[in-house]
Amino acid sequence: EMSKYIYGIVDQSAGLSYGSIGINEGNVSVISIGPFGAVCSDVSDQRIRPERKNLAAHNAVIKRIIEDATVLPMSFGTIAESTDEVKEILRKNKGQFAEQLKRLNGKVEMGLRISLIVPNIFEYMVNSEPELSDLRDRIYGGHRVPTHNDQIELGRTFDRLLREAREAYLSSIMGVLSPLVVEIKSNPTRNESEVANLAVLINRNQMQRFEDGIQEAALLFDNNFSFDYSGPWAYYNFVDLVLADG
């Protein structure tokens, strides 16, 4: 028997076969025991390299499943040696599978990124924060040559004010969205221009309500801000599986 690559955990009613969409074009099906099933495909190796084609296949399977089912996504590269080992994983972890499937049933994860779309984030902050503007003018005014310590102080002040501004922006956004969604998780921003990087858990049937909330939150900001949402995604930000040994 070939090894089984595990994409995620679903309830048994999620379906039995998804076709040859898995890694190495493997046939993706559900191995079930009791009320749960593991979405798997056959693989010949005990280790799958995180190459682009394999990552794409893994994500494509997850994306296909969430169209009509609640799925607890497994991390890339989760492999069991046999069907029996897959079933043992289902048996030994049935408690946490039941709890998380119940919590996430009928919900989807969305992504929301808010960014400042300005040519120069430092100049934007100088124009909007008097403290930073005054410090910049004091350091560089009168043809003065700034010292190394001056530059450090200016950089630290910029970082602090940008952090405080992000916190204020995030508070405003949360104030609008929190009553409309199930849960919001704030992830680290990717660059200076990004104000917020949010993972949002919503009820599947309330997508329009979520979109309306984004429009309402955007009205609190001027045209220097962009609001970009994406999804639905699997619940990578809201699932934390720690498997008991199979």
Side-chain angles (χ1 to χ4, degrees), residues 4 70 189 200:
K4 306 296 180 182
T70 302
T189 52
V200 187

Side-chain angles (χ1 to χ4, degrees), residues 83-241:
T83 297
D84 286 343
E85 184 175 331
V86 173
K87 291 182 177 181
E88 188 66 10
I89 290 172
L90 292 173
R91 276 192 293 267
K92 288 196 172 185
N93 296 276
K94 61 182 180 181
Q96 67 168 323
F97 291 162
E99 178 183 353
Q100 297 206 44
L101 283 168
K102 181 179 180 180
R103 180 172 69 88
L104 297 171
N105 184 44
K107 301 175 180 67
V108 293
E109 177 179 321
M110 301 293 292
L112 174 61
R113 295 183 186 273
I114 300 92
S115 301
L116 270 166
I117 47 174
V118 294
N120 188 305
I121 186 66
F122 180 81
E123 290 299 324
Y124 176 85
M125 293 296 292
V126 165
N127 293 328
S128 59
E129 296 288 348
E131 179 183 352
L132 187 62
S133 176
D134 292 344
L135 180 60
R136 191 274 309 267
D137 292 345
R138 177 170 62 81
I139 289 176
Y140 287 94
H143 304 289
R144 180 177 180 272
V145 178
T147 66
H148 180 64
N149 287 337
D150 288 336
Q151 294 174 334
I152 291 176
E153 181 184 3
L154 186 64
R156 286 176 175 171
T157 301
F158 167 72
D159 289 340
R160 174 176 57 83
L161 291 174
L162 180 60
R163 182 176 65 254
E164 292 174 355
R166 281 176 173 154
E167 291 171 354
Y169 298 148
L170 183 58
S171 178
S172 297
I173 296 165
M174 291 285 201
V176 174
L177 292 183
S178 292
L180 307 178
V181 303
V182 178
E183 189 176 343
I184 301 178
K185 180 179 180 181
S186 179
N187 292 317
T189 52
R190 300 172 299 176
N191 51 57
E192 284 184 343
S193 297
E194 195 165 76
V195 171
N197 174 17
L198 304 178
V200 187
L201 189 66
I202 68 172
N203 289 311
R204 186 185 293 271
N205 61 0
Q206 293 186 337
M207 183 71 71
Q208 187 60 54
R209 187 183 185 193
F210 171 65
E211 294 176 357
D212 292 343
I214 293 175
Q215 296 296 326
E216 182 181 346
L219 293 175
L220 301 176
F221 298 82
D222 61 31
N223 292 332
N224 290 310
F225 293 81
S226 69
F227 282 66
D228 298 311
Y229 68 92
S230 60
W233 308 111
Y235 320 97
Y236 286 109
N237 285 282
F238 300 98
V239 172
D240 185 18
L241 295 177

Side-chain angles (χ1 to χ4, degrees), residues 18-68:
Y18 292 93
S20 301
I21 62 173
I23 288 177
N24 297 328
E25 299 183 349
N27 183 66
V28 177
S29 59
V30 178
I31 298 173
S32 298
I33 181 171
F36 311 118
V39 181
C40 304
S41 66
D42 289 344
V43 290
S44 57
D45 300 321
Q46 279 293 308
R47 183 176 182 273
I48 300 297
R49 295 175 61 85
E51 299 171 349
R52 179 178 298 180
K53 65 175 183 177
N54 294 331
L55 292 166
H58 176 98
N59 292 329
V61 172
I62 297 296
K63 185 176 181 180
R64 169 62 186 88
I65 299 168
I66 64 173
E67 291 177 4
D68 52 18

